[in-house]
Amino acid sequence: MTSPAAPAPPRIPEAVHRRRWAILGVLMLSLLIVVLDNSILNVAIKTISTPAPTGLGATQSELEWAINSYTLVFAGLLFTAGLLGDRVGRKKVLVGGLVVFGIGSALAAESGSPVQLIAFRALMGLGAAFVMPATLAVLMNVFEREEQPKAIGIWAGGVGLAIAIGPITGGLLLDHFWWGSVFLVNVPIVVLAVVLMLVLVPDSKDPKPGRIDLPGVALSIVGLVLLVYGIIKGGDEGDFTSPQVLATIIAGIVVLALFVVHEKRSDHPSIDIDYFKNKVFSAAIAAIALVFFALMGVTFFSVFYTQSVRGYSPLQTGALMLPLAVAQLIFAPRARLVVDKIGVRATTTGGLVLLAGMLAAFTALDADTPIWLLEVMFFLMGTGMAHVMTPTSVVIMQALPREKAGSASALSNTFRQVGGALGIAVLGSVLSTAYRGGIEDKLGLLPPELRDTAGASIEATLGVAEKIGPRAHGLVGAANDSFLHAMHVTALWGAGIALVSAVVTALFLPGRVAAPPTGQQGEPEKVGAGH
């Protein structure tokens, strides 16, 4: 009789394996502040736009750049940050990123002008770029393969938690403190996360990293920054056909094409372009980008719907978004069980169709729709998101060798950020164009010098109406009607994008993910058991 084969030895050192769930908690705390920061800022937008001393008197354009300067640096450096983590050590990159993020937060809180706020937000984006990919890369190296889907599900649920905590925390802080408190709150969390990371988290890196591909790194940064800047500029101007916007976007695409050509020819590429020949990997990445395109664009206008049209406070607006996050918290860790039953394709496609349906349902909202309907929609949107995020993240992270975890995570996050930036820019442009088209005829009530300013957004119209007083009485109702029409148009665009993503996943994702061939995940890495 032949003796049974010996079980494969564990890849993870026992000392690390024992504290894997504590390590996941630290990683989620790090992820929490990066995601939380943007959702907090969304609630604070209205306060920051108020003139001093309450706010900074930021214009609509300056507010967008306070959000976009962070996105621009974050998206531009994510890929490079993932590569550096694989080479110099993910723990070092994580700690360094958190420290930079904390310093940027403290400086942003003390900003004396919108320009300073934009600059310090860019510094925060630099720190965040090094935190985000490293959290998922460390996760892949402290959990055995069979536990990775569960761990990634909890990690994705952490994003939902941050989405929930952000607006409520922001609302509470704005009720009791000055606007800068929404940034200062990051500092103690950063200190706690750094201490716990130094104590608990092992370092890991690619055991055979090869030489750093400096031309590839430079091309990826320049290409991504140009592309994202062009997208943001187009959304800011509400015109993607202007020569400056077109030139910037085309330049970004050309530089990224040169990056691909360079990577294919290099004997030590930053990323093996052949990974994209894997249809499953490419479809999962495309799905994440398209989901965030639809979601970021729609959540951006929902804040204006609840605050400007419905009159809710920042804190109430944060509470209204709770169902979106609660659904992600409930379903993201359990999505793997659905995948086990019906497969990756059915799970993600079903999630995307549900998300598209909920985005389309925004067309039913008006100024006096019962608010519980919006709550149901948010909950179902979160449910759809959870059944997309977890399976696609697992597919992406398990498609590449384990020693390339930082690169895989960075690629996933880069596409997510570019998708989100595109969503805010393109859908924001659709929203402002539709709004301006609807309100233009009603601006005849105003002095000629105020008409252009008043037509920029619902906030601008309401601000001008408030200054003029009773003479502009009819303008408030017109602004609400025009915004609702613009919101309905934008929601349909978002729903269409989500449906395109559903078609991609239905065509290219597998029914069930087969076990990888031996050796696909690479040899065990050197994962330190100590501190």
Side-chain angles (χ1 to χ4, degrees):
M1 284 180 67
T2 55
S3 58
R11 295 174 185 275
I12 316 296
E14 180 57 30
V16 173
H17 182 72
R18 276 201 307 269
R19 61 176 190 260
R20 65 196 184 283
W21 297 110
I23 292 168
L24 180 59
V26 180
L27 296 176
M28 283 175 65
L29 186 64
S30 310
L31 179 73
L32 190 76
I33 53 166
V34 173
V35 179
L36 179 138
D37 181 70
N38 263 348
S39 56
I40 276 188
L41 183 60
N42 283 341
V43 174
I45 281 173
K46 200 171 172 183
T47 309
I48 293 170
S49 68
T50 310
T54 306
L56 290 175
T59 64
Q60 184 79 12
S61 177
E62 286 167 339
L63 283 175
E64 285 177 13
W65 276 108
I67 295 170
N68 292 333
S69 62
Y70 179 94
T71 305
L72 188 65
V73 176
F74 189 37
L77 289 175
L78 267 171
F79 181 66
T80 303
L83 287 174
L84 281 174
D86 284 346
R87 280 170 167 76
V88 305
R90 290 148 196 152
K91 177 178 178 176
K92 296 183 188 75
V93 162
L94 247 176
V95 170
L98 281 169
V99 169
V100 171
F101 186 86
I103 291 168
S105 298
L107 292 170
E110 298 300 326
S111 298
S113 69
V115 174
Q116 284 183 7
L117 179 63
I118 290 165
F120 296 139
R121 287 277 299 158
L123 183 63
M124 291 169 70
L126 172 66
F130 285 84
V131 173
M132 193 90 171
T135 58
L136 203 45
V138 170
L139 181 155
M140 296 300 287
N141 284 284
V142 297
F143 284 90
E144 298 288 359
R145 186 181 171 88
E146 61 273 11
E147 278 192 321
Q148 285 170 4
K150 183 179 181 184
I152 289 174
I154 294 169
W155 178 88
V159 176
L161 183 66
I163 291 169
I165 291 174
I168 291 174
T169 308
L172 280 169
L173 289 168
L174 291 172
D175 271 2
H176 296 93
F177 304 101
W178 94 116
W179 65 265
S181 60
V182 301
F183 298 111
L184 202 60
V185 73
N186 293 332
V187 177
I189 305 174
V190 165
V191 172
L192 177 63
V194 167
V195 170
L196 290 173
M197 199 160 292
L198 292 172
V199 173
L200 287 172
V201 177
D203 208 353
S204 64
K205 57 184 176 182
D206 186 341
K208 297 173 187 170
R211 286 179 294 152
I212 287 187
D213 171 25
L214 288 176
V217 165
L219 286 168
S220 75
I221 293 172
V222 172
L224 283 167
V225 167
L226 281 171
L227 177 63
V228 175
Y229 178 79
I231 291 164
I232 289 168
K233 188 77 177 160
D236 192 22
E237 293 179 2
D239 180 13
F240 281 85
T241 58
S242 77
Q244 187 189 2
V245 170
L246 274 177
T248 311
I249 290 174
I250 290 167
I253 292 169
V254 168
V255 173
L256 289 173
L258 288 173
F259 167 72
V260 171
V261 171
H262 169 78
E263 294 301 288
K264 290 184 91 161
R265 291 180 177 172
S266 174
D267 58 357
H268 58 290
S270 297
I271 181 72
D272 188 343
I273 297 299
D274 286 345
Y275 290 146
F276 286 94
K277 289 180 182 173
N278 179 337
K279 287 179 184 173
V280 172
F281 178 78
S282 296
I285 280 208
I288 277 185
L290 290 170
V291 159
F292 271 79
F293 180 102
L295 193 78
M296 292 298 283
V298 173
T299 48
F300 183 68
F301 72 59
S302 67
V303 171
F304 289 99
Y305 171 70
T306 51
Q307 288 194 39
S308 301
V309 177
R310 301 302 295 264
Y312 289 101
S313 70
L315 178 57
Q316 288 168 328
T317 296
L320 286 172
M321 294 192 78
L322 259 179
L324 180 74
V326 168
Q328 287 195 60
L329 271 174
I330 293 169
F331 294 111
R334 292 170 174 79
R336 66 194 166 84
L337 304 174
V338 181
V339 170
D340 290 344
K341 280 193 175 128
I342 63 173
V344 175
R345 185 192 303 134
T347 304
T348 51
T349 305
L352 284 162
V353 169
L354 177 59
L355 181 64
M358 289 307 103
L359 294 178
F362 269 88
T363 57
L365 298 180
D366 56 34
D368 52 9
T369 302
I371 205 68
W372 64 263
L373 278 175
L374 180 66
E375 299 298 88
V376 171
M377 285 160 55
F378 275 149
F379 185 82
L380 292 174
M381 278 173 73
T383 304
M385 280 289 293
H387 289 92
V388 176
M389 284 294 300
T390 302
T392 49
S393 296
V394 172
V395 164
I396 290 165
M397 296 307 293
Q398 293 192 341
L400 300 195
R402 199 163 66 96
E403 60 271 16
K404 303 291 182 192
S407 301
S409 176
L411 273 172
S412 167
N413 283 307
T414 300
F415 275 81
R416 181 186 304 176
Q417 284 303 312
V418 171
L422 262 168
I424 288 175
V426 175
L427 295 183
S429 175
V430 170
L431 184 74
S432 63
T433 305
Y435 178 76
R436 189 178 281 276
I439 196 74
E440 220 152 22
D441 296 345
K442 315 293 189 303
L443 297 178
L445 296 163
L446 300 176
E449 68 274 11
L450 290 178
R451 287 173 195 168
D452 195 48
T453 305
S457 68
I458 184 171
E459 282 298 305
T461 310
L462 295 177
V464 169
E466 196 176 333
K467 278 182 193 162
I468 290 181
R471 278 187 301 150
H473 180 67
L475 204 54
V476 174
N480 285 344
D481 291 343
S482 300
F483 178 82
L484 287 167
H485 167 70
M487 181 177 85
H488 295 162
V489 172
T490 311
L492 286 175
W493 274 67
I497 297 293
L499 281 177
V500 169
S501 187
V503 171
V504 170
T505 57
L507 289 176
F508 298 113
L509 285 188
R512 297 185 185 278
V513 180
T518 309
Q520 183 186 326
Q521 287 280 302
E523 292 304 309
E525 292 182 43
K526 297 219 176 284
V527 182
H531 310 326

